[in-house]
Amino acid sequence: MTSALLSPSTPSDATTRRTGAAGLAAALSAAAPRWLDLVEYRHASRWTHLLAPEHAAAVVDPDLHADLAGAQVWLLSWLPDQGTPLHDHGTSAGAFSVVRGALTEQVVAAGRSGVSEVTAELTVGRVRHFGPYYVHQVTNTQAEPAVSVHVYTPGLSWMNTYRVDGTALVRTGTERAGVDW
């Protein structure tokens, strides 16, 4: 056995991807003045934009380019009361940062004793990172529009949607990249 296999401090692939995504989300958030002109607002639904890898690379420190190589970056705008359904990101780890306004995140986890729910208000500069199959709902509950930047690694292939049914978390569907968005 190698020492890497014996070392309790060796991070898992999901941990490495999650923390790399958090660093990218923070860097892209700090560089927001260089991409905010791309943001649009839609009354009918949230606006989403897949940021081209070369555009993302142009606004972050070159030391982060290796992390960007395996990542997907999305810009999102949120008008008041716009939000996501309860969902995960499949096998992708990721992170998001609030760039403008505030977002409310509800995290839901199913365990032996039922479903636990935690809600947090995420304000400008706040970065939330997560591993695969992290179930949450994000909503703009404020009176002002919000903007966020999201990083997924690997890029999103699918997202599962859920509902809470008493003490259980029930999957209600799957949305696929290239088909549903």
Side-chain angles (χ1 to χ4, degrees):
M1 291 187 123
T2 67
S3 61
L5 292 175
L6 296 174
S7 173
S9 63
T10 301
S12 71
D13 177 58
T15 300
T16 300
R17 290 186 291 129
R18 184 177 72 214
T19 55
L24 285 170
L28 287 158
S29 183
R34 297 180 66 190
W35 56 259
L36 271 171
D37 60 322
L38 299 172
V39 174
E40 300 175 18
Y41 297 92
R42 285 195 217 149
H43 289 281
S45 65
R46 286 178 300 118
W47 173 85
T48 62
H49 175 73
L50 180 59
L51 190 63
E54 60 274 8
H55 195 135
V59 300
V60 298
D61 188 289
D63 288 343
L64 296 173
H65 289 183
D67 287 335
L68 256 179
Q72 191 179 63
V73 177
W74 289 85
L75 308 177
L76 283 76
S77 70
W78 315 71
L79 290 176
D81 298 321
Q82 288 181 342
T84 68
L86 196 57
H87 68 282
D88 68 22
H89 304 99
T91 57
S92 296
F96 69 97
S97 178
V98 178
V99 175
R100 183 177 283 166
L103 295 170
T104 300
E105 180 189 38
Q106 178 187 20
V107 179
V108 179
R112 290 184 188 146
S113 59
V115 174
S116 65
E117 300 179 45
V118 177
T119 301
E121 188 74 17
L122 307 175
T123 56
V124 172
R126 183 81 182 268
V127 176
R128 174 74 81 203
H129 62 91
F130 49 85
Y133 301 105
Y134 176 84
V135 178
H136 69 158
Q137 180 177 32
V138 181
T139 307
N140 180 0
T141 61
Q142 303 299 311
E144 298 298 320
V147 174
S148 55
V149 58
H150 301 243
V151 178
Y152 303 100
T153 179
L156 290 175
S157 295
W158 74 88
M159 297 186 341
N160 296 306
T161 56
Y162 297 88
R163 68 180 165 79
V164 175
D165 186 5
T167 60
L169 187 59
V170 178
R171 186 166 62 94
T172 58
T174 300
E175 297 177 0
R176 295 166 294 156
V179 176
D180 300 303
W181 78 85

